[in-house]
Amino acid sequence: MNRLKRNPGKLLLILLIFLTLFGFFVKKTRQSLGSTLLLSNSSENNGIVTAVFDGDTIRVKFKNGVQKKVRLIGIDAPELNDSKNQVAFLAYMAKRFTFYHLYKEEVILTYDWQIEDKYGRLLAYVLKGKTLFNEFILREGFASVFLYFPFKKEYQKKFKVAEELARKEGKGFWRMGDFERIKAVDAKHHLGKLVAVEYKCNSIETKRGFVFLNSWRKKFAGLIPQDYMGSFPLYKSLLKRIVLVTGFLEDFRGQPQILIYFPHQVKVIK
């Protein structure tokens, strides 16, 4: 102790190391306690999906008011920022798939051996009603099985089967060749699928942060987000042309639509 008194710099260094380690311990304890409190009552694992970040990551607001980012166990969707346009396109389609099925929906989370990852995200199996969404997105071909980190053997088997069936049936990303081509009047019968919609762009309008490329009587619309308009400098030339819009078919207030992020999603037929 006398030596430390004679060397205040060394004493200060020891105190700084202690405080750093103590701070790290408190942070980890809080994270662990937060997860424990979250899981202490099974009803607290019910929540509403308030955001979709990509095909395999969402945010859930639990009934106790806590909001947490959630990474779905055992699946992997393409990255939105991938440098290859085709891969990035599939990533956006996976995001739209998850958004279409989960946004503002009530879900139940269950967990495996690890509750949180190093980024503070919950690692979970996501149940919507009786449907295990982790398996469902694989079965529909909008993600692949991710086995880098271990998880329940029975789920590994189910997930592998789901992906194999999607590949065999050519669903989602696994379709060989062009996506199914449909007419705008039939769009409402193909919701939730990757398709190519052929129609005459009857009108163009801007609203709610999108440019709408509308079909006749607005039976269908291709939507370009205004943040992406820089990639579509000649969009006005599409008026009165027959176009083919490719992407994930969803609907908003009863109108079938496809969000357009990349120029290759729109082709002029004539």
Side-chain angles (χ1 to χ4, degrees), residues 16-34:
L16 287 173
I17 292 173
F18 172 78
L19 290 173
T20 300
L21 292 173
F22 181 74
F24 177 79
F25 173 77
V26 170
K27 181 180 178 181
K28 288 297 181 182
T29 301
R30 285 177 176 173
Q31 288 178 349
S32 177
L33 180 59

Side-chain angles (χ1 to χ4, degrees), residues 117-128:
D117 66 9
K118 62 182 180 180
Y119 305 108
R121 301 177 301 183
L122 291 177
L123 303 174
Y125 302 105
V126 177
L127 286 163
K128 177 189 171 186

